[in-house]
Amino acid sequence: MSAISVWRAVDYVRMPWKNGGGSTEEITRDAGTGLEGFGWRLSIADIGESGGFSSFAGYQRVITVIQGAGMVLTVDGEEQRGLLPLQPFAFRGDSQVSCRLITGPIRDFNLIYSPERYHARLQWVDGVQRFFSTAQTVLVFSVADEVKVLGEKLGHHDCLQVDGNAGLLDISVTGRCCLIELTQRG
């Protein structure tokens, strides 16, 4: 039987970055405490100035600007294309990463996961969408004032989490949101 949890943005816990350069609001994770022991984690980071990112060796990261004009990342010495709102960008957690803000502070949405422990799929959708998933964990993160999913209403930056899915989950969403599917490997 699947369990459904709804995480409200007003309840997210703020924690310092691993490198001390800013702060993050943790949304949810599979296990562990602090910055250790998790297989996957969702968070929102506030970036007030250009600078370096924390290293997460052994993890894969997917970052998406959700507020502000955007940023340009330099990954392992190579400048990337400009990262504009709602354009996800994936990179290795042990890469040397720094950002240059385009016109000022931003907020970004982060999925960090262990590719040895999980297969992850992330996609941004808008409007009315229906999809089917066999993933064990499905997350729906809202960037709209209202997103409807599985009979729940999500506000701005709220997140719905389905755990323990063992079948074919039929999900319809209305609104702009991020869908994340996570399946344990092995």
Side-chain angles (χ1 to χ4, degrees):
M1 179 82 183
S2 298
I4 297 175
S5 303
V6 175
W7 310 110
R8 301 292 178 195
V10 296
D11 299 325
Y12 297 157
V13 175
R14 185 167 291 281
M15 57 194 336
W17 287 353
K18 203 173 181 181
N19 69 7
S23 65
T24 292
E25 291 178 352
E26 185 171 274
I27 300 168
T28 184
R29 62 164 66 207
D30 68 333
T33 57
L35 296 172
E36 304 301 326
F38 62 86
W40 62 265
R41 174 181 175 229
L42 287 185
S43 63
I44 299 170
D46 290 298
I47 302 178
E49 57 187 37
S50 299
F53 281 30
S54 301
S55 176
F56 283 89
Y59 288 90
Q60 180 73 22
R61 298 179 69 174
V62 183
I63 189 171
T64 308
V65 174
I66 57 173
Q67 196 174 330
M71 63 182 162
V72 176
L73 296 180
T74 299
V75 179
D76 294 328
E78 252 184 68
E79 189 169 279
Q80 306 298 310
R81 63 171 167 74
L83 189 58
L84 302 177
L86 304 184
Q87 295 178 345
F89 181 78
F91 58 95
R92 288 187 342 270
D94 59 357
S95 290
Q96 294 287 73
V97 180
S98 63
C99 76
R100 178 175 45 81
L101 298 177
I102 293 175
T103 62
I106 64 158
R107 294 192 98 197
D108 63 40
F109 175 68
N110 298 279
L111 167 64
I112 302 176
Y113 70 96
S114 167
E116 290 180 4
R117 294 160 61 187
Y118 286 93
H119 170 76
R121 180 174 178 222
L122 178 146
Q123 57 188 322
W124 287 90
V125 298
D126 196 2
V128 178
Q129 302 283 328
R130 182 177 183 197
F131 73 103
F132 298 89
S133 180
T134 58
Q136 294 159 341
T137 300
V138 177
L139 300 143
V140 179
F141 174 75
S142 168
V143 291
D145 290 336
E146 182 178 282
V147 168
K148 294 178 184 174
V149 58
L150 296 176
E152 299 285 346
K153 287 184 182 178
L154 303 179
H156 199 68
H157 295 172
D158 290 348
C159 185
L160 178 131
Q161 180 174 341
V162 178
D163 277 316
N165 180 39
L168 186 62
L169 187 62
D170 181 351
I171 297 182
S172 293
V173 296
T174 303
R176 183 176 286 173
C177 59
C178 184
L179 305 171
I180 297 169
E181 298 169 273
L182 295 155
T183 302
Q184 281 187 303
R185 294 193 182 271

